[in-house]
Amino acid sequence: MSKNIRIVLIEDDDILRMGYESLLSDVEEFSVVSSYASYDLAKKQLEQDHPDVILLDIQMPGTNGLQALPFIKKMLPNSNIIILTVFDSPELVFEALTMGAGGYLTKNSSSAKIIDAVREVSTGGGAMSTNVARIVMHSFQKNLNSPLTKRETEILDRIANGQTKSQIANELFIDQETVRSHVKNIYIKLDVNSKSEAIKTAKEKRFI
Amino acid sequence: MSKNIRIVLIEDDDILRMGYESLLSDVEEFSVVSSYASYDLAKKQLEQDHPDVILLDIQMPGTNGLQALPFIKKMLPNSNIIILTVFDSPELVFEALTMGAGGYLTKNSSSAKIIDAVREVSTGGGAMSTNVARIVMHSFQKNLNSPLTKRETEILDRIANGQTKSQIANELFIDQETVRSHVKNIYIKLDVNSKSEAIKTAKEKRFI
DNA sequence: AAAATATCCCCCATTTCGGGGGATAGCTTT
DNA sequence: AAAGCTATCCCCCGAAATGGGGGATATTTT
């Protein structure tokens, strides 16, 4: 009947680890079942801990947090992992998210934010600090000043999805020669002369 | 010298609009310079308002918020737009973010969250409510149980970026025939027999 | 020992690609 | 009214890529 959220901490800094433990233990529906100074120390016991939420540091002796992520996910598919780190580079954020992290908090996060995040991810949700949200949102933004027309963008998008010109022609109900014309114009506008260059340039400049 | 944040509200519900206006006006560094019941009513005056942040509803009479987004971005490239809506479908969220929204809040957000969000986006940051964060994070997660090996994933990824087999062979320092072998295996595993099908299937199942 | 993986080889017909040269109709901007 | 852009369609060409078939070998993993 008590909806207890079982938490495991993996954080090499003793002071921080104790701080988090104390912070989270004070929340009624939370129980910190274990805390470890590294993944290598944690891995043998993680399964018995069967935590709902794992707070995971990236920087650690031995296997680091990002390397540990897929192993933890495989061992405990139903646990939700929050990355808790000082780093907020786009590369690390995206890697963590694609690897299945349910949250990404930087260590300047307030106590309230951390507690909220644990609650949120324990129900399968997502949580991120504002600087991470900033990174993630920028990764979505398309360039609104694309030199490509709607039609050209549509066609380049399909090319980027592996479609051939004849497939595109069929699906858009236009002639293959029309597609070819558009592609020629795309190449001129992007100053490229092959499919892969066009895709690369367009993605870099966020035209598609 | 006062770092006043100029805010414009575009929200058709009178009660809500007044509520937000009152909420935000009470914050010292905020000033709500205008509020409108629709984009169509707002557009002639938006330029003079030169707001730092615009809170924008989606559902509105006339031009809706998502349709208005690119026009506002073009007219006021330096303004930051927060979508504030009851809807949180992935399609709407992604459309808003790709169109350049700096934030996406659902209307169940607390007053504190809304105020935080305005502060955050006014500095070019990102803000989203937890349910939106959930959607966004899920969109990043790769399938960790891909049938494809590392090498196969690497190759399919390059194919999805428009590279030909010979280009891939060169960059990976392997023979074109080796690439061909991998591709054959990829096709068998994904049960497809063409590039575009492979990309489509792999993207759907989040193998790449 | 068996299976999976990564590497390489040959044959073949078909399709696609990119470069070149156009045209036409419609719509917008100047 | 002229110029420009857009979307549509047409022809020529040779080179490259594709997908299907048949293998082999060495290393790792199970």
Side-chain angles (χ1 to χ4, degrees):
Chain A
M1 29 129 286
S2 79
K3 297 187 62 200
N4 228 300
I5 298 176
R6 299 171 62 86
I7 302 171
V8 161
L9 305 175
I10 305 178
E11 158 68 59
D12 70 316
D13 186 291
D14 296 343
I15 309 283
L16 270 176
R17 189 174 65 255
M18 289 191 286
Y20 293 143
E21 186 162 350
S22 146
L23 167 73
L24 296 169
S25 296
D26 282 353
V27 180
E28 208 177 352
E29 71 267 42
F30 292 177
S31 41
V32 179
V33 292
S34 293
S35 62
Y36 306 97
S38 75
Y39 169 71
D40 295 330
L41 291 169
K43 60 183 164 193
K44 320 106 184 185
Q45 293 199 260
L46 263 183
E47 211 152 4
Q48 291 101 295
D49 290 336
H50 58 276
D52 299 301
V53 176
I54 299 168
L55 290 193
L56 183 63
D57 191 12
I58 290 185
Q59 201 172 33
M60 276 189 298
T63 314
N64 76 40
L66 289 184
Q67 294 165 335
L69 235 178
F71 293 110
I72 298 175
K73 270 274 155 191
K74 201 140 280 178
M75 195 195 308
L76 301 163
N78 298 318
S79 295
N80 296 100
I81 298 159
I82 297 174
I83 298 290
L84 189 51
T85 176
V86 291
F87 307 111
D88 63 350
S89 76
E91 294 73 28
L92 293 178
V93 169
F94 296 138
E95 189 177 346
L97 297 190
T98 58
M99 296 293 243
Y104 198 111
L105 300 182
T106 42
K107 282 183 174 168
N108 53 23
S109 301
S110 67
S111 302
K113 263 243 152 64
I114 295 175
I115 292 170
D116 277 356
V118 171
R119 282 209 189 88
E120 179 65 22
V121 303
S122 72
T123 64
M128 48 184 124
S129 34
T130 52
N131 43 346
V132 176
R134 183 187 302 230
I135 290 168
V136 169
M137 298 197 97
H138 279 305
S139 79
F140 277 95
Q141 310 225 355
K142 294 255 156 79
N143 188 330
L144 298 175
N145 296 313
S146 170
L148 304 181
T149 67
K150 238 188 183 135
R151 201 52 151 178
E152 287 163 354
T153 305
E154 164 80 25
I155 287 172
L156 186 51
D157 201 76
R158 286 169 181 271
I159 289 176
N161 277 301
Q163 293 193 288
T164 66
K165 291 170 183 53
S166 55
Q167 286 175 320
I168 296 171
N170 284 330
E171 293 189 15
L172 295 183
F173 305 108
I174 56 178
D175 197 280
Q176 315 199 7
E177 284 300 325
T178 305
V179 178
R180 245 170 70 69
S181 284
H182 286 307
V183 172
K184 286 177 188 174
N185 290 328
I186 292 169
Y187 286 4
I188 292 169
K189 286 181 179 178
L190 300 187
D191 190 27
V192 297
N193 55 6
S194 75
K195 200 192 292 197
S196 60
E197 285 178 295
I199 294 172
K200 190 164 161 257
T201 303
K203 283 191 176 173
E204 277 171 6
K205 303 195 171 177
R206 297 195 185 286
F207 296 154
I208 55 170
Chain B
M1 38 131 297
S2 79
K3 296 186 64 198
N4 228 301
I5 298 177
R6 299 172 62 84
I7 301 172
V8 162
L9 306 174
I10 305 178
E11 159 68 59
D12 70 316
D13 185 292
D14 296 342
I15 309 283
L16 270 175
R17 191 175 62 254
M18 289 191 286
Y20 293 142
E21 186 162 350
S22 144
L23 167 73
L24 297 168
S25 297
D26 282 354
V27 180
E28 208 178 354
E29 72 266 42
F30 292 178
S31 40
V32 178
V33 290
S34 292
S35 60
Y36 306 97
S38 76
Y39 169 71
D40 294 330
L41 291 169
K43 60 183 163 191
K44 320 107 186 186
Q45 292 200 261
L46 262 183
E47 212 152 6
Q48 291 102 295
D49 290 337
H50 57 278
D52 299 301
V53 176
I54 299 168
L55 291 193
L56 183 61
D57 191 12
I58 290 186
Q59 203 172 32
M60 275 188 299
T63 314
N64 77 40
L66 290 183
Q67 294 164 335
L69 235 177
F71 292 111
I72 297 175
K73 270 275 157 193
K74 199 140 282 181
M75 196 194 309
L76 301 163
N78 298 317
S79 295
N80 296 99
I81 299 159
I82 297 174
I83 299 289
L84 189 50
T85 175
V86 292
F87 307 110
D88 64 350
S89 77
E91 294 73 27
L92 292 178
V93 169
F94 296 139
E95 189 179 346
L97 297 189
T98 59
M99 297 290 245
Y104 198 111
L105 300 181
T106 43
K107 283 186 174 168
N108 52 25
S109 301
S110 67
S111 302
K113 263 238 153 68
I114 295 176
I115 292 170
D116 278 356
V118 170
R119 281 208 191 86
E120 179 65 23
V121 301
S122 73
T123 65
M128 49 184 125
S129 33
T130 52
N131 43 347
V132 176
R134 182 186 304 227
I135 290 169
V136 169
M137 298 197 98
H138 279 305
S139 80
F140 277 95
Q141 310 226 350
K142 294 257 155 80
N143 188 331
L144 297 174
N145 295 312
S146 170
L148 303 181
T149 67
K150 235 184 184 138
R151 201 52 152 176
E152 287 162 355
T153 305
E154 163 80 24
I155 286 172
L156 185 51
D157 201 75
R158 286 168 180 272
I159 289 176
N161 278 301
Q163 292 193 284
T164 65
K165 292 172 181 53
S166 55
Q167 286 175 319
I168 297 171
N170 284 330
E171 292 189 15
L172 296 183
F173 304 106
I174 55 179
D175 197 279
Q176 316 200 6
E177 284 301 323
T178 306
V179 178
R180 248 170 69 69
S181 284
H182 286 306
V183 172
K184 286 177 187 175
N185 290 327
I186 292 169
Y187 286 5
I188 292 169
K189 286 181 178 178
L190 300 187
D191 191 28
V192 298
N193 55 6
S194 76
K195 197 192 292 198
S196 60
E197 284 178 295
I199 294 173
K200 189 164 162 256
T201 303
K203 282 191 175 173
E204 277 171 6
K205 302 195 171 177
R206 297 194 184 286
F207 297 154
I208 56 171

